[in-house]
């Protein structure tokens, strides 16, 4: 029987322990390598994922930034109206209703960066569908609004101008009519005695936005009148013994009575002469202005109507202008022709026959009435003959 000595046993144990330590160290190194390798793969994966994510996000941001606001309809445009006093939220609501807000978050972000909240313009704007969100916002803060051209002819009265603005879809007719005696607008005329805006809506070609309200439109016309009736006109009015409102009122009558531009100063001289002689003006247009529901046929009954505008029954000028005269009529009143004419009658061709006495005038009236009747009879015969041939 072999018995191991203590030294041999110690040797065997030592070798075994060393073997265990060696194996343990080897396993530890292998584990470390395994973990390190896995971490490298994980980091590489995360890096690839991050790069792919950043590229995807960048591509998405690039796409939505440059995407048209109306990708399916690039050739057309939309009109949006931004009234005065609109908030950014109300503007955004309008844009959304038109279908021009494909990316709300981008829209809000860019609006904040561009400080659009307090810079949106007032007006009527044409938005191109091909624009991107950035271009849309840039246009809202710096774009030019649409202006609509409207021409106000000489001689139209307040109601006719209101109708014209209404037909052009620039103003509400009833609102315009309600402002005829507005105190704030009357102050802008510069005439303290004026009770009506009649006469102050200067005939001109204007360019208005549909975002402008009725007060702004009337203010623009009054401002144009003030430019025309300047200090030179005011000084001339004093020289001939009339105030500005009297000149304006008389010019409104001349505007309605003149058939040919070349006779404007002659027509003005007739009314000047009659006023100096304290004669009634006997002007048909003033009578018509004072009538309600005039049907176009002036009768003797109309000439006897008791209205403040009947210059056949009242002396002097009517209480307000009867139309809105142009510059030529204002000048004709300020610089009338020098003559002694007191009467005139329409010839029927746009011109007038002027007379110094009532006798001459009556002859002219009889003659041109006869001529007019003959022309009317001939016209009826031509129509009858034409009907018979058919």
């Amino acid at each position: 029987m072999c018995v191991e000595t203590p030294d041999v046993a110690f040797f065997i144990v030592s070798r075994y322990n060393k073997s265990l330590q060696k194996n343990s160290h080897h396993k530890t190194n292998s584990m470390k390598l395994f973990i390190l390798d896995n971490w490298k793969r994980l980091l590489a994966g995360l890096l690839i994922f991050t790069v792919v994510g950043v590229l995807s996000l960048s591509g998405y941001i690039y796409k939505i930034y440059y995407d048209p606001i109306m990708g399916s309809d690039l050739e057309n445009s939309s009109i949006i109206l931004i009234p005065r006093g609109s908030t950014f939220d109300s503007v955004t609501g309008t844009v959304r209703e038109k279908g021009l807000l494909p990316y709300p978050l981008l829209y809000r972000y860019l609006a904040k960066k561009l400080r659009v909240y307090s810079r949106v313009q007032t007006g009527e704007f044409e938005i191109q569908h091909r624009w991107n969100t950035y271009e849309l916002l840039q246009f809202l803060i710096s774009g030019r609004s649409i202006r609509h051209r409207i021409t106000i002819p000489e001689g139209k009265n307040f109601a006719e101008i209101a109708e014209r603005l209404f037909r052009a879809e620039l103003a509400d007719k009833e609102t315009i009519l309600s402002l005829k005696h507005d105190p704030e607008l009357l102050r802008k005329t510069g005439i303290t005695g004026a009770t009506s805006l009649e006469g102050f809506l200067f005939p001109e070609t204007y360019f208005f936005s549909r975002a402008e309200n009725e007060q702004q439109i009337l203010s623009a016309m009054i401002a144009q009148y003030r430019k025309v009736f300047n200090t030179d006109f005011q000084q001339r009015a004093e020289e001939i013994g009339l105030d500005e409102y009297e000149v304006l009122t008389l010019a409104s009558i001349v505007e309605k009575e003149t058939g040919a531009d070349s006779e404007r100063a002659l027509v003005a001289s007739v009314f000047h002469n009659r006023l100096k002689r304290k004669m009634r003006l006997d002007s048909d247009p003033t009578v018509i202005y004072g009538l309600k529901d005039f049907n176009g046929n002036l009768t003797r009954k109309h000439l006897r109507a008791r209205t403040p505008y009947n210059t056949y029954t009242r002396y002097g000028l009517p209480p307000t202008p009867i139309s809105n005269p142009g510059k030529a009529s204002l000048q004709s009143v300020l610089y009338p022709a020098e003559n002694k004419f007191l009467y005139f009658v329409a010839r029927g061709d746009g011109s007038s026959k002027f007379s110094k006495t009532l006798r001459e005038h009556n002859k002219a009236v009889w003659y041109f009435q006869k001529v007019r009747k003959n022309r009317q009879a001939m016209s009826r015969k031509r129509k009858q003959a034409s009907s018979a041939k058919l």
Side-chain angles (χ1 to χ4, degrees):
M1 181 175 180
C2 181
V3 179
E4 293 182 358
T5 65
D7 290 338
V8 172
F10 177 78
F11 174 76
I12 293 171
V13 171
S14 297
R15 290 293 298 268
Y16 179 74
N17 288 337
K18 286 181 179 179
S19 177
L20 287 175
Q21 289 175 356
K22 187 176 179 179
N23 289 336
S24 175
H25 181 70
H26 178 72
K27 289 181 178 179
T28 301
N29 287 339
S30 297
M31 182 63 70
K32 286 181 179 179
L33 289 173
F34 175 77
I35 294 172
L36 182 61
D37 188 52
N38 283 341
W39 268 108
K40 286 181 179 179
R41 282 198 291 266
L42 180 60
L43 288 173
L46 287 173
L47 180 61
I48 293 171
F49 180 79
T50 302
V51 170
V52 171
V54 169
L55 289 175
S56 299
L57 181 61
S58 299
Y60 176 74
I61 292 173
Y62 180 87
K63 177 183 180 300
I64 67 173
Y65 184 90
Y66 287 101
D67 251 5
I69 53 178
M70 184 75 83
S72 61
D73 188 13
L74 301 182
E75 299 300 321
N76 293 319
S77 60
S78 296
I79 303 296
I80 66 170
L81 182 66
I82 304 178
R84 185 178 294 275
S86 297
T87 63
F88 178 74
D89 287 340
S90 68
V91 174
T92 300
T94 302
V95 173
R96 184 183 293 109
E97 287 174 5
K98 294 288 184 179
L100 305 176
L101 194 60
Y103 306 110
L105 291 178
L106 176 66
Y107 175 89
R108 291 282 180 181
Y109 172 79
L110 292 176
K112 186 176 181 180
K113 286 293 183 182
L114 294 171
R115 291 182 293 179
V116 176
Y117 293 89
S118 59
R119 299 170 61 195
V120 173
Q121 300 290 311
T122 296
E124 183 184 15
F125 299 96
E126 183 178 10
I127 308 299
Q128 301 297 326
H129 291 172
R130 65 177 182 274
W131 291 345
N132 58 42
T133 303
Y134 178 83
E135 290 173 319
L136 165 64
L137 289 167
Q138 278 283 62
F139 186 75
L140 290 179
I141 61 179
S142 60
R144 295 183 61 184
S145 67
I146 300 171
R147 314 295 289 183
H148 299 274
R149 176 174 175 164
I150 182 169
T151 299
I152 306 300
E154 292 87 349
K156 296 296 181 182
N157 62 37
F158 193 93
E160 290 169 334
I161 292 175
E163 178 68 25
R164 203 174 188 87
L165 290 167
F166 171 73
R167 291 187 178 278
E169 298 181 359
L170 289 170
D172 177 71
K173 182 178 177 181
E174 295 305 317
T175 302
I176 288 284
L177 292 174
S178 71
L179 294 170
K180 188 175 183 179
H181 306 286
D182 183 73
E184 183 179 345
L185 290 173
L186 285 171
R187 280 194 294 272
K188 293 183 179 181
T189 67
I191 307 298
T192 56
T195 58
S196 163
L197 290 179
E198 191 74 85
F200 295 103
L201 308 187
F202 194 78
E204 184 62 272
T205 296
Y206 295 93
F207 294 86
F208 292 125
S209 165
R210 290 202 171 99
E212 294 177 269
N213 59 36
E214 288 77 6
Q215 288 89 340
Q216 291 168 326
I217 290 174
L218 294 179
S219 293
M221 295 181 178
I222 295 168
Q224 186 60 32
Y225 164 79
R226 285 262 54 99
K227 288 180 182 178
V228 173
F229 209 104
N230 53 29
T231 54
D232 291 339
F233 276 23
Q234 291 170 356
Q235 290 174 0
R236 177 57 183 171
E238 291 179 7
E239 291 174 6
I240 62 175
L242 297 176
D243 63 34
E244 181 179 339
Y245 200 49
E246 289 173 330
V247 171
L248 179 60
T249 302
L250 186 52
S252 73
I253 299 173
V254 171
E255 191 71 73
K256 298 296 289 184
E257 290 278 17
T258 302
D261 288 343
S262 60
E263 296 179 349
R264 207 177 296 272
L266 285 170
V267 173
S269 71
V270 169
F271 291 120
H272 271 290
N273 292 338
R274 294 179 75 90
L275 287 171
K276 289 176 183 177
R277 289 173 174 251
K278 301 192 183 303
M279 296 174 64
R280 287 187 291 265
L281 296 184
D282 291 354
S283 170
D284 292 353
T286 65
V287 177
I288 294 170
Y289 185 84
L291 297 174
K292 294 181 180 180
D293 303 321
F294 178 65
N295 62 6
N297 181 32
L298 192 64
T299 65
R300 291 184 179 275
K301 182 180 179 180
H302 291 145
L303 297 180
R304 293 193 297 268
R306 294 191 175 187
T307 76
Y309 293 91
N310 191 341
T311 54
Y312 279 89
T313 61
R314 291 172 176 264
Y315 290 90
L317 294 168
T320 72
I322 63 168
S323 72
N324 293 271
K327 186 175 181 179
S329 289
L330 290 168
Q331 286 180 321
S332 71
V333 171
L334 293 171
Y335 299 94
E338 295 185 6
N339 56 62
K340 296 182 179 180
F341 292 135
L342 294 171
Y343 307 92
F344 62 92
V345 62
R347 296 175 184 269
D349 59 0
S351 64
S352 298
K353 167 65 177 175
F354 294 86
S355 305
K356 296 179 181 179
T357 66
L358 181 59
R359 185 177 179 181
E360 291 176 3
H361 176 64
N362 287 337
K363 285 184 178 180
V365 169
W366 176 85
Y367 175 77
F368 288 112
Q369 282 182 345
K370 182 179 179 181
V371 169
R372 195 176 297 112
K373 288 179 181 179
N374 289 339
R375 287 175 178 171
Q376 291 173 348
M378 292 176 65
S379 177
R380 285 194 296 269
K381 287 181 180 180
R382 283 194 295 269
K383 288 180 180 180
Q384 290 171 356
S386 177
S387 300
K389 288 180 181 180
L390 294 174

